[in-house]
Amino acid sequence: MSETIEKVKCLIIGSGPAGYTAAIYAARANMSPVLYQGAQPGGQLTTTNEVENFPGYPEGITGPEMMIQLQKQAERFEADVRDGWITKVDFSGDVHKVWVNDTKEIHCDTVIISTGASAKYLGLESEQKYLKLGGGVSACAVCDGFFYRNQEVVIVGAGDSACEEAHYLSKLCKKVTMLVRRDEFRASKIMAERVKNTPNIEILFNTETEEVLGDGQVVTGVKVFNNQTDEKHEIPATGFFVAIGHKPNTDIFKDYLDLDETGYIINVPGTSKTNVEGVFVSGDAADHVYRQAITAAGTGCMAALDAERWLAAKDTTFEVNTSIYN
Ligand SMILES: Cc1cc2nc3c(=O)[nH]c(=O)nc-3n(C[C@H](O)[C@H](O)[C@H](O)COP(=O)(O)OP(=O)(O)OC[C@H]3O[C@@H](n4cnc5c(N)ncnc54)[C@H](O)[C@@H]3O)c2cc1C
């Protein structure tokens, strides 16, 4: 029995701000995009309550509500939004092959990758509890720091991003306690010096988190221990920030696309192009610097425009977007 293969002009992988923005632009450009949502429909923002920094929402909006609106906007222009996880790709030939849930095969003229990145957490039960409750655990200081103005917070991490986030928080919060597992920073000297020279940042070296403390609803403090002396103490805090890195969701592309050492897709600077013709990238999957919904949306727009121009230059003639062949 021959397998049914679907042919698609523009396939979008991922349903965060990048994927839906790409879908809006691609649909309005008559590219009949098909978008696969993956395991987290709506992406990272579905794990947060208030989004206050996305332009156009003067009163703020919850992350899940914002993502429903983006989906509706894409569907209004007939973007085909589907459930499904892309498990395998083959970008070795002229036709880009993609498999959904290891079974369905799709042949695509263009592919827009918007698979995002996942913040790493410590994995403590108490951390996950308050993360799920939206009660004071965050992996994004730029997103959530504002909610802790004039309060005391704790941040975990030792790299450049952790230093940058600690410094950002120090401008908003009364006090920032930084927990560094080793006896030195991993960050560059200049970033470490900046943190060390900030009066309201206290750095505790050789210090790890034992438990995030709370009242059942919100964080009230952090129990820490010195990994050299095993001495324990509690730090009062209303916010617990985790800045130990992100993992881009790009494993399935590694045999075909250029990735950096962390796994972020390398794009041609100033564009959404990857090293493979017809394959474009948007959002956090290629962005270890900004990691914001608005920048993801912006690069989603770029990817759709780049894909449209690439198709136009090829003068591809597709009869119908989702025609079945074989
Ligand atoms: C708790 C939290 C709060 C935040 N708050 C803010 C905020 O207030 N303001 C702000 O601007 N930013 C905020 N951010 C950052 C923001 O969420 C991200 O920058 C943004 O969501 C990135 O968008 P994206 O489209 O690149 O990817 P994501 O939102 O990460 O979405 C990735 C999508 O790809 C899909 N996917 C992954 N792999 C596959 C696959 N193999 N097949 C199919 N689909 C796949 C997933 O299911 C998901 O739908 C926050 C992040 C977190 C974690």
Side-chain angles (χ1 to χ4, degrees), residues 14-18 37-38 40 44-45 53 86 116 143 283-284 291-293:
S15 56
Q37 292 183 307
Q40 191 179 41
Q44 293 175 61
L45 281 186
N53 54 9
I86 306 304
C143 313
D284 285 12
R291 293 194 298 245
Q292 292 294 291

Side-chain angles (χ1 to χ4, degrees), residues 125-305:
E125 203 180 303
S126 54
E127 169 206 59
Q128 292 303 306
K129 174 179 164 185
Y130 288 103
L131 175 68
K132 288 195 185 102
L133 284 169
V137 172
S138 171
C140 181
V142 176
C143 313
D144 295 330
F146 191 74
F147 300 118
Y148 301 91
R149 271 166 303 158
N150 302 320
Q151 299 174 39
E152 298 191 10
V153 300
V154 168
I155 183 166
V156 179
D160 277 339
S161 294
C163 288
E164 200 159 295
E165 301 221 340
H167 193 252
Y168 181 88
L169 290 170
S170 72
K171 288 187 264 167
L172 296 166
C173 303
K174 193 156 76 181
K175 184 177 175 196
V176 179
T177 305
M178 192 168 187
L179 309 183
V180 177
R181 197 170 46 169
R182 295 192 301 164
D183 59 358
E184 58 180 4
F185 281 107
R186 269 193 305 105
S188 58
K189 197 162 181 287
I190 187 161
M191 295 297 290
E193 284 305 315
R194 189 158 76 156
V195 166
K196 284 179 187 165
N197 293 331
T198 304
N200 64 338
I201 301 180
E202 182 182 7
I203 304 158
L204 301 180
F205 289 103
N206 294 317
T207 303
E208 297 183 42
T209 309
E210 182 162 300
E211 188 184 349
V212 178
L213 305 169
D215 62 5
Q217 293 297 318
V218 295
V219 171
T220 56
V222 182
K223 188 192 254 187
V224 299
F225 66 95
N226 183 302
N227 56 27
Q228 302 298 303
T229 62
D230 210 26
E231 207 178 303
K232 296 181 188 191
H233 73 280
E234 292 181 8
I235 304 167
T238 47
F240 181 70
F241 287 85
V242 187
I244 56 172
H246 285 72
K247 182 176 178 347
N249 304 315
T250 57
D251 286 354
I252 54 170
F253 309 112
K254 68 176 187 303
D255 291 340
Y256 303 97
L257 299 187
D258 291 342
L259 309 180
D260 72 10
E261 66 280 359
T262 316
Y264 287 96
I265 295 171
I266 298 173
N267 57 305
V268 176
T271 78
S272 66
K273 294 176 188 166
T274 68
N275 58 301
V276 174
E277 289 279 316
V279 177
F280 304 87
V281 63
S282 59
D284 285 12
D287 175 14
H288 59 90
V289 179
Y290 301 105
R291 293 194 298 245
Q292 292 294 291
I294 187 68
T295 46
T299 53
C301 157
M302 287 168 66
L305 294 179

